[in-house]
Amino acid sequence: MSTVSVRIPTILRNFTGGESEVKATGATLREVLADLDANHAGISARILDDNGKLRRFVNVYVGDEDVRFADGLDTPTPEGAQVSVIPAVAGG
């Protein structure tokens, strides 16, 4: 089981007591998000939809890789990896 750093966007920091980065464990992004929610109740509901898939307007990276173009929630999270949760910004 790997320990990773998860970068938390400002809009979700109320779940982490204001912390911009927290630790979580898991071999895949799915496990990391489950651990994150176990320690910061409710945060995964803002990242995942009711079907357990990544929300449309949330981008998640493991390192520099967008998980939507990797293995999604099954993307491996190696020891020491940086996971970044980034809300999409709409503009026009």
Side-chain angles (χ1 to χ4, degrees), residues 55-66:
R55 289 190 178 276
R56 186 172 172 199
F57 298 109
V58 176
N59 298 312
V60 180
Y61 291 82
V62 174
D64 294 331
E65 189 167 30
D66 184 334

Side-chain angles (χ1 to χ4, degrees), residues 8-83:
I8 306 296
T10 304
I11 196 166
L12 297 180
R13 289 182 190 162
N14 57 314
F15 292 98
T16 61
E19 293 294 320
S20 62
E21 192 167 303
V22 296
K23 299 287 185 195
T25 59
T28 65
L29 179 58
R30 184 183 317 276
E31 292 175 7
V32 165
L33 291 177
D35 185 62
L36 186 65
D37 196 64
N39 292 301
H40 306 284
I43 195 168
S44 70
R46 302 297 297 272
I47 299 170
L48 303 175
D49 65 19
D50 293 338
N51 297 317
K53 296 186 179 185
L54 287 173
R55 289 190 178 276
R56 186 172 172 199
F57 298 109
V58 176
N59 298 312
V60 180
Y61 291 82
V62 174
D64 294 331
E65 189 167 30
D66 184 334
V67 300
R68 292 184 197 278
F69 301 107
D71 294 321
L73 292 172
D74 296 319
T75 300
T77 51
E79 181 70 31
Q82 177 99 34
V83 176

Side-chain angles (χ1 to χ4, degrees), residues 79-91:
E79 181 70 31
Q82 177 99 34
V83 176
S84 300
V85 178
I86 303 169
V89 177

